[in-house]
PDB file of all heavy atoms in Angstrom:
ATOM      1  N   THR A   1     -32.844 -11.663 178.286  1.00 86.00           N
ATOM      2  CA  THR A   1     -33.515 -12.913 178.643  1.00 86.00           C
ATOM      3  C   THR A   1     -34.647 -12.646 179.634  1.00 86.00           C
ATOM      4  O   THR A   1     -34.647 -11.647 180.349  1.00 86.00           O
ATOM      5  CB  THR A   1     -32.513 -13.893 179.261  1.00 86.00           C
ATOM      6  OG1 THR A   1     -31.955 -13.291 180.442  1.00 86.00           O
ATOM      7  CG2 THR A   1     -31.390 -14.215 178.288  1.00 86.00           C
ATOM      8  N   GLY A   2     -35.614 -13.577 179.663  1.00 87.00           N
ATOM      9  CA  GLY A   2     -36.745 -13.440 180.584  1.00 87.00           C
ATOM     10  C   GLY A   2     -38.064 -13.697 179.876  1.00 87.00           C
ATOM     11  O   GLY A   2     -38.098 -14.069 178.694  1.00 87.00           O
ATOM     12  N   ASN A   3     -39.154 -13.523 180.611  1.00 89.00           N
ATOM     13  CA  ASN A   3     -40.497 -13.781 180.080  1.00 89.00           C
ATOM     14  C   ASN A   3     -41.226 -12.475 179.775  1.00 89.00           C
ATOM     15  O   ASN A   3     -41.143 -11.514 180.541  1.00 89.00           O
ATOM     16  CB  ASN A   3     -41.321 -14.594 181.088  1.00 89.00           C
ATOM     17  CG  ASN A   3     -40.713 -15.962 181.347  1.00 89.00           C
ATOM     18  OD1 ASN A   3     -40.231 -16.626 180.415  1.00 89.00           O
ATOM     19  ND2 ASN A   3     -40.713 -16.388 182.605  1.00 89.00           N
ATOM     20  N   LEU A   4     -41.949 -12.478 178.672  1.00 92.00           N
ATOM     21  CA  LEU A   4     -42.762 -11.313 178.312  1.00 92.00           C
ATOM     22  C   LEU A   4     -43.945 -11.201 179.259  1.00 92.00           C
ATOM     23  O   LEU A   4     -44.510 -12.220 179.698  1.00 92.00           O
ATOM     24  CB  LEU A   4     -43.262 -11.435 176.872  1.00 92.00           C
ATOM     25  CG  LEU A   4     -42.203 -11.399 175.771  1.00 92.00           C
ATOM     26  CD1 LEU A   4     -42.846 -11.698 174.421  1.00 92.00           C
ATOM     27  CD2 LEU A   4     -41.520 -10.045 175.735  1.00 92.00           C
ATOM     28  N   GLN A   5     -44.341  -9.985 179.562  1.00 93.00           N
ATOM     29  CA  GLN A   5     -45.527  -9.775 180.397  1.00 93.00           C
ATOM     30  C   GLN A   5     -46.780 -10.205 179.644  1.00 93.00           C
ATOM     31  O   GLN A   5     -46.876 -10.039 178.428  1.00 93.00           O
ATOM     32  CB  GLN A   5     -45.642  -8.310 180.802  1.00 93.00           C
ATOM     33  CG  GLN A   5     -44.583  -7.856 181.787  1.00 93.00           C
ATOM     34  CD  GLN A   5     -44.838  -6.451 182.308  1.00 93.00           C
ATOM     35  OE1 GLN A   5     -45.859  -5.846 182.019  1.00 93.00           O
ATOM     36  NE2 GLN A   5     -43.906  -5.930 183.075  1.00 93.00           N
ATOM     37  N   THR A   6     -47.734 -10.737 180.374  1.00 96.00           N
ATOM     38  CA  THR A   6     -49.006 -11.150 179.779  1.00 96.00           C
ATOM     39  C   THR A   6     -49.811  -9.919 179.390  1.00 96.00           C
ATOM     40  O   THR A   6     -49.992  -9.012 180.204  1.00 96.00           O
ATOM     41  CB  THR A   6     -49.816 -11.999 180.774  1.00 96.00           C
ATOM     42  OG1 THR A   6     -49.025 -13.124 181.164  1.00 96.00           O
ATOM     43  CG2 THR A   6     -51.113 -12.482 180.152  1.00 96.00           C
ATOM     44  N   PRO A   7     -50.301  -9.857 178.156  1.00 97.00           N
ATOM     45  CA  PRO A   7     -51.068  -8.677 177.731  1.00 97.00           C
ATOM     46  C   PRO A   7     -52.457  -8.636 178.361  1.00 97.00           C
ATOM     47  O   PRO A   7     -52.938  -9.635 178.919  1.00 97.00           O
ATOM     48  CB  PRO A   7     -51.171  -8.855 176.206  1.00 97.00           C
ATOM     49  CG  PRO A   7     -51.083 -10.333 176.002  1.00 97.00           C
ATOM     50  CD  PRO A   7     -50.163 -10.841 177.073  1.00 97.00           C
ATOM     51  N   VAL A   8     -53.087  -7.477 178.252  1.00 97.00           N
ATOM     52  CA  VAL A   8     -54.455  -7.290 178.760  1.00 97.00           C
ATOM     53  C   VAL A   8     -55.395  -7.249 177.551  1.00 97.00           C
ATOM     54  O   VAL A   8     -55.172  -6.496 176.597  1.00 97.00           O
ATOM     55  CB  VAL A   8     -54.582  -5.985 179.562  1.00 97.00           C
ATOM     56  CG1 VAL A   8     -56.029  -5.752 179.982  1.00 97.00           C
ATOM     57  CG2 VAL A   8     -53.662  -6.035 180.781  1.00 97.00           C
ATOM     58  N   PHE A   9     -56.443  -8.064 177.617  1.00 98.00           N
ATOM     59  CA  PHE A   9     -57.385  -8.172 176.499  1.00 98.00           C
ATOM     60  C   PHE A   9     -58.775  -7.710 176.934  1.00 98.00           C
ATOM     61  O   PHE A   9     -59.257  -8.076 178.006  1.00 98.00           O
ATOM     62  CB  PHE A   9     -57.458  -9.621 176.014  1.00 98.00           C
ATOM     63  CG  PHE A   9     -58.430  -9.840 174.885  1.00 98.00           C
ATOM     64  CD1 PHE A   9     -58.120  -9.424 173.599  1.00 98.00           C
ATOM     65  CD2 PHE A   9     -59.652 -10.449 175.116  1.00 98.00           C
ATOM     66  CE1 PHE A   9     -59.019  -9.602 172.561  1.00 98.00           C
ATOM     67  CE2 PHE A   9     -60.551 -10.637 174.085  1.00 98.00           C
ATOM     68  CZ  PHE A   9     -60.237 -10.218 172.810  1.00 98.00           C
ATOM     69  N   THR A  10     -59.407  -6.870 176.105  1.00 97.00           N
ATOM     70  CA  THR A  10     -60.762  -6.388 176.392  1.00 97.00           C
ATOM     71  C   THR A  10     -61.609  -6.431 175.125  1.00 97.00           C
ATOM     72  O   THR A  10     -61.082  -6.454 174.003  1.00 97.00           O
ATOM     73  CB  THR A  10     -60.756  -4.935 176.928  1.00 97.00           C
ATOM     74  OG1 THR A  10     -60.098  -4.090 175.970  1.00 97.00           O
ATOM     75  CG2 THR A  10     -60.041  -4.848 178.266  1.00 97.00           C
ATOM     76  N   ILE A  11     -62.924  -6.445 175.323  1.00 97.00           N
ATOM     77  CA  ILE A  11     -63.891  -6.354 174.219  1.00 97.00           C
ATOM     78  C   ILE A  11     -64.835  -5.209 174.522  1.00 97.00           C
ATOM     79  O   ILE A  11     -65.371  -5.116 175.628  1.00 97.00           O
ATOM     80  CB  ILE A  11     -64.694  -7.665 174.065  1.00 97.00           C
ATOM     81  CG1 ILE A  11     -63.761  -8.847 173.784  1.00 97.00           C
ATOM     82  CG2 ILE A  11     -65.728  -7.533 172.945  1.00 97.00           C
ATOM     83  CD1 ILE A  11     -64.473 -10.178 173.681  1.00 97.00           C
ATOM     84  N   HIS A  12     -65.025  -4.338 173.531  1.00 96.00           N
ATOM     85  CA  HIS A  12     -65.940  -3.211 173.730  1.00 96.00           C
ATOM     86  C   HIS A  12     -66.773  -2.970 172.462  1.00 96.00           C
ATOM     87  O   HIS A  12     -66.223  -2.746 171.401  1.00 96.00           O
ATOM     88  CB  HIS A  12     -65.163  -1.949 174.073  1.00 96.00           C
ATOM     89  CG  HIS A  12     -66.045  -0.772 174.350  1.00 96.00           C
ATOM     90  ND1 HIS A  12     -66.733  -0.639 175.546  1.00 96.00           N
ATOM     91  CD2 HIS A  12     -66.373   0.300 173.594  1.00 96.00           C
ATOM     92  CE1 HIS A  12     -67.442   0.490 175.496  1.00 96.00           C
ATOM     93  NE2 HIS A  12     -67.231   1.066 174.333  1.00 96.00           N
ATOM     94  N   PRO A  13     -68.118  -3.059 172.602  1.00 94.00           N
ATOM     95  CA  PRO A  13     -68.849  -3.478 173.802  1.00 94.00           C
ATOM     96  C   PRO A  13     -68.829  -4.997 173.957  1.00 94.00           C
ATOM     97  O   PRO A  13     -68.681  -5.725 172.976  1.00 94.00           O
ATOM     98  CB  PRO A  13     -70.267  -2.966 173.522  1.00 94.00           C
ATOM     99  CG  PRO A  13     -70.382  -3.011 172.031  1.00 94.00           C
ATOM    100  CD  PRO A  13     -69.026  -2.658 171.494  1.00 94.00           C
ATOM    101  N   MET A  14     -69.000  -5.449 175.192  1.00 93.00           N
ATOM    102  CA  MET A  14     -69.014  -6.884 175.453  1.00 93.00           C
ATOM    103  C   MET A  14     -70.360  -7.493 175.110  1.00 93.00           C
ATOM    104  O   MET A  14     -70.449  -8.682 174.806  1.00 93.00           O
ATOM    105  CB  MET A  14     -68.676  -7.171 176.919  1.00 93.00           C
ATOM    106  CG  MET A  14     -67.217  -6.910 177.272  1.00 93.00           C
ATOM    107  SD  MET A  14     -66.835  -7.334 178.982  1.00 93.00           S
ATOM    108  CE  MET A  14     -67.223  -9.085 179.016  1.00 93.00           C
ATOM    109  N   GLU A  15     -71.424  -6.677 175.200  1.00 92.00           N
ATOM    110  CA  GLU A  15     -72.760  -7.139 174.813  1.00 92.00           C
ATOM    111  C   GLU A  15     -73.094  -6.512 173.469  1.00 92.00           C
ATOM    112  O   GLU A  15     -73.126  -5.291 173.330  1.00 92.00           O
ATOM    113  CB  GLU A  15     -73.793  -6.734 175.867  1.00 92.00           C
ATOM    114  CG  GLU A  15     -73.568  -7.396 177.219  1.00 92.00           C
ATOM    115  CD  GLU A  15     -74.639  -7.044 178.227  1.00 92.00           C
ATOM    116  OE1 GLU A  15     -75.538  -6.250 177.881  1.00 92.00           O
ATOM    117  OE2 GLU A  15     -74.585  -7.568 179.354  1.00 92.00           O
ATOM    118  N   VAL A  16     -73.304  -7.353 172.479  1.00 92.00           N
ATOM    119  CA  VAL A  16     -73.503  -6.868 171.119  1.00 92.00           C
ATOM    120  C   VAL A  16     -74.683  -7.591 170.484  1.00 92.00           C
ATOM    121  O   VAL A  16     -74.970  -8.750 170.790  1.00 92.00           O
ATOM    122  CB  VAL A  16     -72.216  -7.072 170.293  1.00 92.00           C
ATOM    123  CG1 VAL A  16     -71.872  -8.541 170.171  1.00 92.00           C
ATOM    124  CG2 VAL A  16     -72.332  -6.436 168.926  1.00 92.00           C
ATOM    125  N   ILE A  17     -75.381  -6.870 169.594  1.00 91.00           N
ATOM    126  CA  ILE A  17     -76.521  -7.433 168.888  1.00 91.00           C
ATOM    127  C   ILE A  17     -76.022  -8.178 167.659  1.00 91.00           C
ATOM    128  O   ILE A  17     -75.127  -7.705 166.959  1.00 91.00           O
ATOM    129  CB  ILE A  17     -77.509  -6.327 168.472  1.00 91.00           C
ATOM    130  CG1 ILE A  17     -77.978  -5.553 169.707  1.00 91.00           C
ATOM    131  CG2 ILE A  17     -78.697  -6.909 167.730  1.00 91.00           C
ATOM    132  CD1 ILE A  17     -78.745  -4.300 169.377  1.00 91.00           C
ATOM    133  N   LEU A  18     -76.577  -9.325 167.412  1.00 90.00           N
ATOM    134  CA  LEU A  18     -76.231 -10.104 166.234  1.00 90.00           C
ATOM    135  C   LEU A  18     -76.389  -9.230 164.993  1.00 90.00           C
ATOM    136  O   LEU A  18     -77.415  -8.601 164.780  1.00 90.00           O
ATOM    137  CB  LEU A  18     -77.144 -11.327 166.148  1.00 90.00           C
ATOM    138  CG  LEU A  18     -76.758 -12.421 165.162  1.00 90.00           C
ATOM    139  CD1 LEU A  18     -75.463 -13.086 165.589  1.00 90.00           C
ATOM    140  CD2 LEU A  18     -77.868 -13.458 165.055  1.00 90.00           C
ATOM    141  N   GLY A  19     -75.318  -9.163 164.181  1.00 87.00           N
ATOM    142  CA  GLY A  19     -75.341  -8.316 162.996  1.00 87.00           C
ATOM    143  C   GLY A  19     -74.549  -7.039 163.168  1.00 87.00           C
ATOM    144  O   GLY A  19     -74.176  -6.405 162.176  1.00 87.00           O
ATOM    145  N   ASP A  20     -74.280  -6.629 164.410  1.00 90.00           N
ATOM    146  CA  ASP A  20     -73.483  -5.437 164.680  1.00 90.00           C
ATOM    147  C   ASP A  20     -71.997  -5.821 164.788  1.00 90.00           C
ATOM    148  O   ASP A  20     -71.628  -6.989 164.671  1.00 90.00           O
ATOM    149  CB  ASP A  20     -73.945  -4.761 165.966  1.00 90.00           C
ATOM    150  CG  ASP A  20     -75.196  -3.924 165.751  1.00 90.00           C
ATOM    151  OD1 ASP A  20     -75.585  -3.743 164.584  1.00 90.00           O
ATOM    152  OD2 ASP A  20     -75.785  -3.467 166.747  1.00 90.00           O
ATOM    153  N   SER A  21     -71.143  -4.821 165.061  1.00 93.00           N
ATOM    154  CA  SER A  21     -69.709  -5.061 165.210  1.00 93.00           C
ATOM    155  C   SER A  21     -69.264  -4.718 166.628  1.00 93.00           C
ATOM    156  O   SER A  21     -69.914  -3.934 167.322  1.00 93.00           O
ATOM    157  CB  SER A  21     -68.914  -4.213 164.205  1.00 93.00           C
ATOM    158  OG  SER A  21     -69.200  -4.614 162.885  1.00 93.00           O
ATOM    159  N   THR A  22     -68.153  -5.318 167.021  1.00 95.00           N
ATOM    160  CA  THR A  22     -67.529  -4.993 168.300  1.00 95.00           C
ATOM    161  C   THR A  22     -66.027  -4.872 168.089  1.00 95.00           C
ATOM    162  O   THR A  22     -65.512  -5.216 167.013  1.00 95.00           O
ATOM    163  CB  THR A  22     -67.855  -6.059 169.368  1.00 95.00           C
ATOM    164  OG1 THR A  22     -67.431  -5.597 170.644  1.00 95.00           O
ATOM    165  CG2 THR A  22     -67.195  -7.379 169.048  1.00 95.00           C
ATOM    166  N   GLU A  23     -65.309  -4.393 169.094  1.00 97.00           N
ATOM    167  CA  GLU A  23     -63.872  -4.142 168.953  1.00 97.00           C
ATOM    168  C   GLU A  23     -63.085  -4.977 169.950  1.00 97.00           C
ATOM    169  O   GLU A  23     -63.320  -4.903 171.155  1.00 97.00           O
ATOM    170  CB  GLU A  23     -63.589  -2.654 169.164  1.00 97.00           C
ATOM    171  CG  GLU A  23     -62.141  -2.255 168.919  1.00 97.00           C
ATOM    172  CD  GLU A  23     -61.929  -0.754 169.052  1.00 97.00           C
ATOM    173  OE1 GLU A  23     -61.856  -0.270 170.206  1.00 97.00           O
ATOM    174  OE2 GLU A  23     -61.858  -0.069 168.018  1.00 97.00           O
ATOM    175  N   LEU A  24     -62.153  -5.768 169.439  1.00 97.00           N
ATOM    176  CA  LEU A  24     -61.236  -6.520 170.281  1.00 97.00           C
ATOM    177  C   LEU A  24     -59.987  -5.676 170.492  1.00 97.00           C
ATOM    178  O   LEU A  24     -59.456  -5.093 169.536  1.00 97.00           O
ATOM    179  CB  LEU A  24     -60.857  -7.849 169.615  1.00 97.00           C
ATOM    180  CG  LEU A  24     -61.999  -8.717 169.075  1.00 97.00           C
ATOM    181  CD1 LEU A  24     -61.439 -10.017 168.510  1.00 97.00           C
ATOM    182  CD2 LEU A  24     -63.037  -8.988 170.151  1.00 97.00           C
ATOM    183  N   CYS A  25     -59.505  -5.604 171.724  1.00 98.00           N
ATOM    184  CA  CYS A  25     -58.364  -4.730 172.045  1.00 98.00           C
ATOM    185  C   CYS A  25     -57.319  -5.503 172.860  1.00 98.00           C
ATOM    186  O   CYS A  25     -57.658  -6.147 173.859  1.00 98.00           O
ATOM    187  CB  CYS A  25     -58.848  -3.506 172.821  1.00 98.00           C
ATOM    188  SG  CYS A  25     -57.520  -2.361 173.288  1.00 98.00           S
ATOM    189  N   CYS A  26     -56.071  -5.443 172.416  1.00 98.00           N
ATOM    190  CA  CYS A  26     -54.963  -6.102 173.114  1.00 98.00           C
ATOM    191  C   CYS A  26     -53.920  -5.043 173.478  1.00 98.00           C
ATOM    192  O   CYS A  26     -53.456  -4.298 172.603  1.00 98.00           O
ATOM    193  CB  CYS A  26     -54.348  -7.179 172.225  1.00 98.00           C
ATOM    194  SG  CYS A  26     -53.136  -8.234 173.070  1.00 98.00           S
ATOM    195  N   THR A  27     -53.557  -4.974 174.760  1.00 97.00           N
ATOM    196  CA  THR A  27     -52.633  -3.956 175.253  1.00 97.00           C
ATOM    197  C   THR A  27     -51.474  -4.615 175.983  1.00 97.00           C
ATOM    198  O   THR A  27     -51.663  -5.554 176.760  1.00 97.00           O
ATOM    199  CB  THR A  27     -53.348  -2.987 176.209  1.00 97.00           C
ATOM    200  OG1 THR A  27     -54.435  -2.359 175.516  1.00 97.00           O
ATOM    201  CG2 THR A  27     -52.404  -1.917 176.724  1.00 97.00           C
ATOM    202  N   SER A  28     -50.257  -4.111 175.718  1.00 96.00           N
ATOM    203  CA  SER A  28     -49.059  -4.661 176.353  1.00 96.00           C
ATOM    204  C   SER A  28     -48.180  -3.540 176.879  1.00 96.00           C
ATOM    205  O   SER A  28     -48.134  -2.445 176.315  1.00 96.00           O
ATOM    206  CB  SER A  28     -48.267  -5.500 175.346  1.00 96.00           C
ATOM    207  OG  SER A  28     -47.034  -5.904 175.899  1.00 96.00           O
ATOM    208  N   GLU A  29     -47.459  -3.826 177.969  1.00 92.00           N
ATOM    209  CA  GLU A  29     -46.499  -2.882 178.512  1.00 92.00           C
ATOM    210  C   GLU A  29     -45.100  -3.131 177.969  1.00 92.00           C
ATOM    211  O   GLU A  29     -44.145  -2.453 178.369  1.00 92.00           O
ATOM    212  CB  GLU A  29     -46.491  -2.981 180.045  1.00 92.00           C
ATOM    213  CG  GLU A  29     -47.762  -2.478 180.696  1.00 92.00           C
ATOM    214  CD  GLU A  29     -48.049  -1.025 180.349  1.00 92.00           C
ATOM    215  OE1 GLU A  29     -47.103  -0.211 180.341  1.00 92.00           O
ATOM    216  OE2 GLU A  29     -49.221  -0.698 180.056  1.00 92.00           O
ATOM    217  N   GLU A  30     -44.974  -4.097 177.054  1.00 91.00           N
ATOM    218  CA  GLU A  30     -43.668  -4.372 176.471  1.00 91.00           C
ATOM    219  C   GLU A  30     -43.294  -3.288 175.453  1.00 91.00           C
ATOM    220  O   GLU A  30     -44.104  -2.427 175.111  1.00 91.00           O
ATOM    221  CB  GLU A  30     -43.673  -5.756 175.807  1.00 91.00           C
ATOM    222  CG  GLU A  30     -43.879  -6.910 176.773  1.00 91.00           C
ATOM    223  CD  GLU A  30     -42.716  -7.076 177.752  1.00 91.00           C
ATOM    224  OE1 GLU A  30     -41.661  -6.463 177.554  1.00 91.00           O
ATOM    225  OE2 GLU A  30     -42.863  -7.836 178.730  1.00 91.00           O
ATOM    226  N   ILE A  31     -42.053  -3.342 174.974  1.00 87.00           N
ATOM    227  CA  ILE A  31     -41.500  -2.294 174.121  1.00 87.00           C
ATOM    228  C   ILE A  31     -41.724  -2.632 172.646  1.00 87.00           C
ATOM    229  O   ILE A  31     -41.299  -3.690 172.177  1.00 87.00           O
ATOM    230  CB  ILE A  31     -39.987  -2.111 174.395  1.00 87.00           C
ATOM    231  CG1 ILE A  31     -39.736  -1.939 175.898  1.00 87.00           C
ATOM    232  CG2 ILE A  31     -39.440  -0.929 173.610  1.00 87.00           C
ATOM    233  CD1 ILE A  31     -40.483  -0.772 176.525  1.00 87.00           C
ATOM    234  N   PRO A  32     -42.395  -1.757 171.893  1.00 85.00           N
ATOM    235  CA  PRO A  32     -42.587  -1.985 170.441  1.00 85.00           C
ATOM    236  C   PRO A  32     -41.240  -1.947 169.716  1.00 85.00           C
ATOM    237  O   PRO A  32     -40.254  -1.419 170.257  1.00 85.00           O
ATOM    238  CB  PRO A  32     -43.489  -0.818 170.031  1.00 85.00           C
ATOM    239  CG  PRO A  32     -44.097  -0.312 171.307  1.00 85.00           C
ATOM    240  CD  PRO A  32     -43.061  -0.536 172.362  1.00 85.00           C
ATOM    241  N   PRO A  33     -41.200  -2.495 168.491  1.00 85.00           N
ATOM    242  CA  PRO A  33     -42.336  -3.065 167.747  1.00 85.00           C
ATOM    243  C   PRO A  33     -42.733  -4.439 168.272  1.00 85.00           C
ATOM    244  O   PRO A  33     -41.879  -5.229 168.677  1.00 85.00           O
ATOM    245  CB  PRO A  33     -41.811  -3.139 166.311  1.00 85.00           C
ATOM    246  CG  PRO A  33     -40.321  -3.252 166.471  1.00 85.00           C
ATOM    247  CD  PRO A  33     -39.967  -2.445 167.663  1.00 85.00           C
ATOM    248  N   LEU A  34     -44.041  -4.709 168.237  1.00 91.00           N
ATOM    249  CA  LEU A  34     -44.604  -5.956 168.740  1.00 91.00           C
ATOM    250  C   LEU A  34     -45.561  -6.540 167.710  1.00 91.00           C
ATOM    251  O   LEU A  34     -46.143  -5.815 166.899  1.00 91.00           O
ATOM    252  CB  LEU A  34     -45.363  -5.717 170.051  1.00 91.00           C
ATOM    253  CG  LEU A  34     -44.588  -5.102 171.220  1.00 91.00           C
ATOM    254  CD1 LEU A  34     -45.554  -4.685 172.317  1.00 91.00           C
ATOM    255  CD2 LEU A  34     -43.551  -6.079 171.755  1.00 91.00           C
ATOM    256  N   THR A  35     -45.742  -7.834 167.782  1.00 94.00           N
ATOM    257  CA  THR A  35     -46.765  -8.499 166.976  1.00 94.00           C
ATOM    258  C   THR A  35     -47.880  -8.934 167.915  1.00 94.00           C
ATOM    259  O   THR A  35     -47.648  -9.691 168.864  1.00 94.00           O
ATOM    260  CB  THR A  35     -46.198  -9.714 166.225  1.00 94.00           C
ATOM    261  OG1 THR A  35     -45.177  -9.276 165.332  1.00 94.00           O
ATOM    262  CG2 THR A  35     -47.295 -10.409 165.421  1.00 94.00           C
ATOM    263  N   PHE A  36     -49.096  -8.436 167.661  1.00 97.00           N
ATOM    264  CA  PHE A  36     -50.273  -8.774 168.470  1.00 97.00           C
ATOM    265  C   PHE A  36     -51.055  -9.870 167.742  1.00 97.00           C
ATOM    266  O   PHE A  36     -51.371  -9.731 166.559  1.00 97.00           O
ATOM    267  CB  PHE A  36     -51.159  -7.546 168.662  1.00 97.00           C
ATOM    268  CG  PHE A  36     -50.523  -6.456 169.488  1.00 97.00           C
ATOM    269  CD1 PHE A  36     -49.618  -5.567 168.919  1.00 97.00           C
ATOM    270  CD2 PHE A  36     -50.830  -6.313 170.834  1.00 97.00           C
ATOM    271  CE1 PHE A  36     -49.035  -4.561 169.674  1.00 97.00           C
ATOM    272  CE2 PHE A  36     -50.250  -5.313 171.594  1.00 97.00           C
ATOM    273  CZ  PHE A  36     -49.350  -4.436 171.008  1.00 97.00           C
ATOM    274  N   ILE A  37     -51.379 -10.921 168.482  1.00 97.00           N
ATOM    275  CA  ILE A  37     -52.093 -12.061 167.889  1.00 97.00           C
ATOM    276  C   ILE A  37     -53.404 -12.269 168.645  1.00 97.00           C
ATOM    277  O   ILE A  37     -53.404 -12.460 169.860  1.00 97.00           O
ATOM    278  CB  ILE A  37     -51.242 -13.344 167.947  1.00 97.00           C
ATOM    279  CG1 ILE A  37     -49.860 -13.092 167.321  1.00 97.00           C
ATOM    280  CG2 ILE A  37     -51.944 -14.490 167.223  1.00 97.00           C
ATOM    281  CD1 ILE A  37     -48.868 -14.201 167.558  1.00 97.00           C
ATOM    282  N   PHE A  38     -54.527 -12.213 167.918  1.00 97.00           N
ATOM    283  CA  PHE A  38     -55.850 -12.431 168.500  1.00 97.00           C
ATOM    284  C   PHE A  38     -56.275 -13.876 168.248  1.00 97.00           C
ATOM    285  O   PHE A  38     -56.027 -14.432 167.168  1.00 97.00           O
ATOM    286  CB  PHE A  38     -56.874 -11.477 167.883  1.00 97.00           C
ATOM    287  CG  PHE A  38     -56.624 -10.029 168.205  1.00 97.00           C
ATOM    288  CD1 PHE A  38     -55.796  -9.253 167.410  1.00 97.00           C
ATOM    289  CD2 PHE A  38     -57.224  -9.449 169.316  1.00 97.00           C
ATOM    290  CE1 PHE A  38     -55.561  -7.917 167.706  1.00 97.00           C
ATOM    291  CE2 PHE A  38     -56.987  -8.109 169.624  1.00 97.00           C
ATOM    292  CZ  PHE A  38     -56.163  -7.351 168.815  1.00 97.00           C
ATOM    293  N   TYR A  39     -56.939 -14.443 169.257  1.00 97.00           N
ATOM    294  CA  TYR A  39     -57.370 -15.846 169.177  1.00 97.00           C
ATOM    295  C   TYR A  39     -58.870 -15.952 169.452  1.00 97.00           C
ATOM    296  O   TYR A  39     -59.430 -15.173 170.220  1.00 97.00           O
ATOM    297  CB  TYR A  39     -56.632 -16.708 170.206  1.00 97.00           C
ATOM    298  CG  TYR A  39     -55.149 -16.834 169.976  1.00 97.00           C
ATOM    299  CD1 TYR A  39     -54.271 -15.872 170.461  1.00 97.00           C
ATOM    300  CD2 TYR A  39     -54.621 -17.919 169.279  1.00 97.00           C
ATOM    301  CE1 TYR A  39     -52.907 -15.986 170.260  1.00 97.00           C
ATOM    302  CE2 TYR A  39     -53.253 -18.041 169.085  1.00 97.00           C
ATOM    303  CZ  TYR A  39     -52.400 -17.066 169.565  1.00 97.00           C
ATOM    304  OH  TYR A  39     -51.052 -17.172 169.368  1.00 97.00           O
ATOM    305  N   THR A  40     -59.467 -16.947 168.802  1.00 95.00           N
ATOM    306  CA  THR A  40     -60.824 -17.353 169.140  1.00 95.00           C
ATOM    307  C   THR A  40     -60.772 -18.817 169.551  1.00 95.00           C
ATOM    308  O   THR A  40     -59.786 -19.513 169.285  1.00 95.00           O
ATOM    309  CB  THR A  40     -61.778 -17.151 167.954  1.00 95.00           C
ATOM    310  OG1 THR A  40     -63.116 -17.491 168.358  1.00 95.00           O
ATOM    311  CG2 THR A  40     -61.393 -18.017 166.770  1.00 95.00           C
ATOM    312  N   TYR A  41     -61.818 -19.289 170.199  1.00 93.00           N
ATOM    313  CA  TYR A  41     -61.842 -20.655 170.716  1.00 93.00           C
ATOM    314  C   TYR A  41     -62.980 -21.423 170.062  1.00 93.00           C
ATOM    315  O   TYR A  41     -64.158 -21.174 170.346  1.00 93.00           O
ATOM    316  CB  TYR A  41     -61.997 -20.655 172.241  1.00 93.00           C
ATOM    317  CG  TYR A  41     -60.785 -20.112 172.946  1.00 93.00           C
ATOM    318  CD1 TYR A  41     -60.515 -18.746 172.970  1.00 93.00           C
ATOM    319  CD2 TYR A  41     -59.876 -20.963 173.562  1.00 93.00           C
ATOM    320  CE1 TYR A  41     -59.381 -18.241 173.599  1.00 93.00           C
ATOM    321  CE2 TYR A  41     -58.740 -20.468 174.201  1.00 93.00           C
ATOM    322  CZ  TYR A  41     -58.508 -19.103 174.210  1.00 93.00           C
ATOM    323  OH  TYR A  41     -57.391 -18.610 174.825  1.00 93.00           O
ATOM    324  N   LYS A  42     -62.631 -22.337 169.164  1.00 82.00           N
ATOM    325  CA  LYS A  42     -63.629 -23.145 168.477  1.00 82.00           C
ATOM    326  C   LYS A  42     -64.263 -24.113 169.473  1.00 82.00           C
ATOM    327  O   LYS A  42     -63.575 -24.916 170.095  1.00 82.00           O
ATOM    328  CB  LYS A  42     -62.995 -23.920 167.319  1.00 82.00           C
ATOM    329  CG  LYS A  42     -62.446 -23.036 166.210  1.00 82.00           C
ATOM    330  CD  LYS A  42     -63.560 -22.341 165.450  1.00 82.00           C
ATOM    331  CE  LYS A  42     -62.995 -21.527 164.281  1.00 82.00           C
ATOM    332  NZ  LYS A  42     -64.048 -20.796 163.558  1.00 82.00           N
TER     333      LYS A  42
END
């Protein structure tokens, strides 16, 4: 029982040119296997 630790989220690179790609990264200290869920904000 208990609460899961909040994951750390980063974007690399954070400054990107329209038309290029960037990488979203989610990191957790919890024990795998884990399901990582990425969100965007409309």
Side-chain angles (χ1 to χ4, degrees):
T1 60
N3 297 320
L4 294 173
Q5 290 188 6
T6 303
V8 175
F9 179 75
T10 57
I11 300 177
H12 183 76
M14 289 183 60
E15 296 183 358
V16 63
I17 302 169
L18 193 66
D20 281 351
S21 295
T22 190
E23 185 176 78
L24 311 183
C25 179
C26 189
T27 301
S28 173
E29 291 301 318
E30 296 294 348
I31 309 302
L34 302 169
T35 298
F36 294 81
I37 307 169
F38 294 88
Y39 294 85
T40 183
Y41 292 75
K42 296 291 184 182

